[in-house]
Each structure stands twice: as structure tokens, then as C-alpha cells.
Amino acid sequence: MRKKGLHSRGCFLSYSEDGGTSYKKINDLQSIPELGGDPESLDTTTLDDAVKTSIPGLADYGALPFQFLYDNSSETSCFRVLSRLQASGNEYPFKVTYPDGTAFSFKAAVSVKTGAVEVDGVLQFTANLQLASDVDTTHPTGTVTQTENQEEVI
């Protein structure tokens, strides 16, 4: 039977401090932005054309905003880790991984900002990842099957 979708549970963001050899998961992730960008439209219309013409230009991903629950309780908490990456001023390899094994890898600089605080609200923060590379997609190997609310790659 054909599967009709994949649950977002189990998606995660990870980073590497060794150039992409090994990755560490960043906890308390709440949302992942769209990954991809539409190319700019470069106008090629001449005075002889009856309609506007164009060719595709460069894609603009912009900054990728990842939202997290705020946790600054230890050296390995999400806010502390991402703030440390920001303070370094360096670009790091990041990877978004889906439950079926699909992975999106890219290099980015980090910018962290805390969310608004409200009465009876949950503290959150956003890590904006400014791309320094294209986004590479790695497709899963094997066949994905569904077994009682869990995904298995076989």
C-alpha cells in the first residue's frame, strides 16, 4: 500500500565543528523553515518584444529561521550552543534530517535572537542561519515502510 505522507516527528537539525565529518543534534527544535529558493527573474525584454521576457537568475534562500524552545541550563543546551556558534563569527556545516533519512546539508553563519515574552507563554528563540553554500540533498537508501506510527528504513 502506498504511503500518503510522512509525519514531522523525528525531524532534527544538527551541526558540525569538524568540517562535516561528524554532526551533533541540536535539541528543542520546534520548526524548520522552507528549504529552497526561487531564482530571480532577469529581464531580457527588448524594444522589439511584444511581451516581457526573462531568464532565471540566482536563487535567493535568504536567512533560514529555525525556532527553538528556550533552554540555557547547561553548556550543551540549544541556546548556549547556538549563541557560541554565533559568537565565533564562523560558518559551520548544518544538516536537516527527515525521519525517512532524507538530509539537507549546507554551510551557514548563525544569528540568534530571543522571542517575544508574553503572559502565560513559553520562552522561545530563533536561530537564523545565513547560507554560505547551496543546499545539498541526500536521498534515503532502502525502502521506507510504516509500522505502527513509526517509520522504518529497510
Side-chain angles (χ1 to χ4, degrees):
M1 182 164 92
R2 186 173 82 75
K3 189 169 66 171
K4 293 187 179 183
L6 185 63
H7 198 281
S8 61
R9 187 184 86 232
C11 294
F12 63 92
L13 175 67
S14 55
Y15 73 101
S16 175
E17 292 184 281
D18 62 11
T21 303
S22 63
Y23 284 82
K24 298 175 187 172
K25 180 180 174 184
I26 305 171
N27 292 322
D28 298 322
L29 179 64
Q30 288 191 296
S31 69
I32 297 171
E34 292 179 335
L35 299 172
D38 296 320
E40 297 291 328
S41 180
L42 305 177
D43 190 2
T44 58
T45 309
T46 69
L47 294 174
D48 293 327
D49 292 326
V51 296
K52 287 191 107 179
T53 61
S54 63
I55 59 172
L58 299 175
D60 182 5
Y61 293 89
L64 302 175
F66 290 81
Q67 189 168 350
F68 294 85
L69 285 175
Y70 177 83
D71 177 15
N72 194 17
S73 62
S74 72
E75 289 295 320
T76 59
S77 65
C78 55
F79 186 78
R80 193 103 42 115
V81 166
L82 289 161
S83 294
R84 181 175 47 78
L85 297 180
Q86 175 184 330
S88 78
N90 295 323
E91 296 165 347
Y92 293 90
F94 286 89
K95 185 174 8 177
V96 171
T97 305
Y98 284 1
D100 69 353
T102 303
F104 305 92
S105 304
F106 52 90
K107 196 170 185 182
V110 182
S111 173
V112 175
K113 66 179 178 181
T114 58
V117 177
E118 301 173 0
V119 172
D120 200 26
V122 175
L123 296 179
Q124 299 171 315
F125 74 94
T126 301
N128 285 305
L129 302 185
Q130 187 65 47
L131 286 179
S133 72
D134 199 0
V135 177
D136 295 321
T137 303
T138 303
H139 298 285
T141 57
T143 303
V144 179
T145 61
Q146 187 168 356
T147 58
E148 289 188 41
N149 301 331
Q150 292 193 8
E151 301 300 327
E152 245 179 45
V153 177
I154 57 173

